[in-house]
Amino acid sequence: MNSKQVVVITGSSTGFGRLFAETLARKGHTVFATMRDPAGRNAKNASEIRAVAEKDSLPIHVLELDVTDDASVERAVDAAFAKAGRIDVAINNAGYVVSGLAEAVTTEQARGLMDTNFFGPVRVNRAVLPHMRRQRSGVLMHISSGAGRVVIPSGGFYCASKFALEALAESYSYELASQGIESVIVEPGPYETPVIGNMVAAADEARTDTYGAVRQIPAKINAALASIAGNAQEVADAVLRIIETPAGEKQLRYLVSPQSLGVDRLNALSKQVQANLLEAFGLAADTRFLKGKAVGSV
Ligand SMILES: NC(=O)c1ccc[n+]([C@@H]2O[C@H](COP(=O)([O-])OP(=O)(O)OC[C@H]3O[C@@H](n4cnc5c(N)ncnc54)[C@H](OP(=O)(O)O)[C@@H]3O)[C@@H](O)[C@H]2O)c1
């Protein structure tokens, strides 16, 4: 694989996604900074990114991509492939938080969250994988969260969406390794981005009102997270290091956090348990990354 890679990032309008785009492009990687509605709701963000790219001659291309829309995802991936001739890395970053007591989250809110945080990566991965499989190389990166491993009261649906994402990303890692494709999970702790401002509150206030002191939990959690939030550039620097780690040497999970809270220990134990499971089912060889020995055909 060329050391300068072609990277598609979802949710690049603000926050991590925008930082990833700039950080990777400054190191010479070609970036497709995708976002929904770059001519409308994100027009200002899109033009700021284009202005930086032009001023500093950065290889960043802004494309429209709404992760909840199959056709939009396919159009963006086709456009990126047509322009660059390959896709080396897909960063599944688009996502948001629904905050509130679980009973007060409506089914419509829950479905919408899963459609972005879980089915978004499903759509993106299905669109990029045929290209990666032809290349016999590629990286599916999933921006999960520490909350993809531990449960935060009042964040039940957000945690569920990230737990689901983690399970799927891990499954991809076993199924694709022998074809030279890696699936990696990045688990950021709390970082300063617009994520809190973009948070959606549980809609059924009448139910929340019946919970007494427990109804204060969402506010307590948000205050606690804000008080320890780190500088988001740390996550962008970690993503750059991961992308530049040679094929076959990447980890499945990377915790990047101002505080570990034991998530690193959960990850270490899970790695052992999963290795035992693969061994017990006779799957260890099938699920190993085979350098230069990619198998299968597309
Ligand atoms: N910041 C943290 O502390 C933290 C910690 C752990 C994990 N994360 C994860 O990091 C990721 C990025 O979040 P952030 O902190 O950078 O917050 P952010 O600034 O709010 O970024 C979220 C991005 O997702 C985009 N998005 C939402 N729905 C979309 C859709 N349907 N199609 C395409 N893009 C969509 C948003 O675009 P619009 O501008 O169009 O809304 C925005 O660009 C999320 O997956 C989040 O769960 C964040």
Side-chain angles (χ1 to χ4, degrees):
M1 188 192 290
N2 191 313
S3 64
K4 297 302 172 207
Q5 301 181 41
V6 176
V7 185
V8 174
I9 307 174
T10 66
S12 308
S13 57
T14 56
F16 288 154
R18 185 148 162 188
L19 276 179
F20 297 165
E22 216 179 301
T23 304
L24 299 181
R26 287 198 187 283
K27 293 290 175 182
H29 300 292
T30 297
V31 174
F32 291 92
T34 77
M35 64 189 70
R36 54 183 170 176
D37 205 5
R41 60 178 279 155
N42 277 318
K44 184 166 175 282
N45 294 321
S47 75
E48 285 169 3
I49 293 170
R50 288 191 181 108
V52 171
E54 195 168 329
K55 180 168 127 318
D56 295 344
S57 302
L58 302 179
I60 303 182
H61 311 277
V62 175
L63 289 177
E64 188 273 339
L65 190 161
D66 181 336
V67 299
T68 65
D69 178 343
D70 287 36
S72 163
V73 171
E74 281 156 24
R75 257 195 321 272
V77 169
D78 286 352
F81 183 75
K83 174 114 188 139
R86 53 187 299 115
I87 295 174
D88 298 310
V89 184
I91 306 184
N92 287 293
N93 167 72
Y96 67 96
V97 178
V98 170
S99 166
L101 305 178
E103 190 189 340
V105 175
T106 64
T107 48
E108 195 185 340
Q109 288 186 306
R111 197 180 295 123
L113 184 70
M114 291 302 284
D115 202 20
T116 297
N117 292 11
F118 177 72
F119 288 106
V122 171
R123 293 184 183 94
V124 170
N125 291 347
R126 279 185 57 78
V128 299
L129 274 171
H131 299 294
M132 293 181 175
R133 295 180 63 209
R134 265 194 303 275
Q135 294 162 195
R136 297 274 189 265
S137 67
V139 178
L140 303 178
M141 181 177 282
H142 306 87
I143 306 302
S144 173
S145 170
R149 295 302 251 175
V150 294
V151 177
I152 302 171
S154 84
F157 284 94
Y158 178 69
C159 293
S161 73
K162 296 295 189 182
F163 271 59
L165 179 65
E166 295 244 353
L168 182 73
E170 183 158 352
S171 170
Y172 281 124
S173 79
Y174 303 136
E175 294 167 9
L176 291 166
S178 67
Q179 298 188 57
I181 298 167
E182 292 166 293
S183 172
V184 303
I185 300 167
V186 178
E187 298 169 333
Y191 282 95
E192 282 171 21
T193 69
V195 73
I196 298 284
N198 291 334
M199 204 156 60
V200 173
D204 195 337
E205 290 172 21
R207 296 211 188 195
T208 303
D209 287 344
T210 64
Y211 271 68
V214 170
R215 61 189 293 247
Q216 303 306 329
I217 287 179
K220 279 189 192 169
I221 295 278
N222 293 337
L225 291 175
S227 74
I228 57 166
N231 179 343
Q233 185 62 42
E234 273 178 31
V235 183
D237 292 342
V239 163
L240 175 68
R241 281 195 300 277
I242 296 165
I243 285 175
E244 294 189 342
T245 299
E249 293 174 21
K250 295 180 189 66
Q251 297 168 204
L252 170 59
R253 288 190 167 79
Y254 294 88
L255 173 69
V256 186
S257 182
Q259 286 187 12
S260 149
L261 296 173
V263 174
D264 50 351
R265 279 183 284 132
L266 276 179
N267 287 344
L269 179 61
S270 153
K271 187 177 172 186
Q272 253 177 36
V273 171
Q274 288 289 144
N276 293 345
L277 178 145
L278 297 177
E279 198 62 52
F281 291 177
L283 300 173
D286 300 327
T287 56
R288 203 166 289 140
F289 190 95
L290 301 175
K291 273 195 177 165
K293 287 192 204 151
V295 295
S297 59
V298 192

